[in-house]
Amino acid sequence: MKRIIFLILLCMIMITGCASENGGASPDAKKGTFCGVEKTGSMELSHAKEFEVSFYGDEFALIDINGTGRYLLLNEGKTLP
C-alpha cells in the first residue's frame, strides 16, 4: 500500500514540475527557463498543433499539451530538478 501511494505521489510531482519561489508554477516560456535550467531547443512539429516539446540541456524534456497538462521526461540517470 505504501508503495502505491509513493508511486502516485512521484507521478504527481513529475507531472506538475517544481514550484517557484512565489509558489506558482515555475515554467517561464518567455524567459526560456524551467526550474532554473535554460531551454536549449524545441522539436519542430509539422502536423501537430496542440502540443509543444521543449528541451532543457541534457537534463530533461517538457511536453506541453494545450489545455491538458505538462509532462516532464527525464533522461536516464538524471534526477528531478
Side-chain angles (χ1 to χ4, degrees), residues 3-63:
R3 185 176 183 170
I4 293 172
I5 293 171
F6 173 76
L7 291 173
I8 291 171
L9 289 173
L10 182 62
C11 288
M12 289 173 57
I13 291 170
M14 290 177 62
I15 290 172
T16 58
C18 61
S20 65
E21 291 140 9
N22 64 3
S26 135
D28 190 349
K30 292 178 181 145
K31 292 183 180 177
T33 62
F34 182 85
C35 296
V37 180
E38 290 291 322
K39 181 177 176 181
T40 57
S42 60
M43 183 181 291
E44 292 293 326
L45 303 171
S46 58
H47 299 291
K49 303 295 181 202
E50 296 299 317
F51 71 94
E52 178 182 339
V53 180
S54 302
F55 299 105
Y56 294 84
D58 66 346
E59 301 290 322
F60 55 87
L62 181 67
I63 300 174

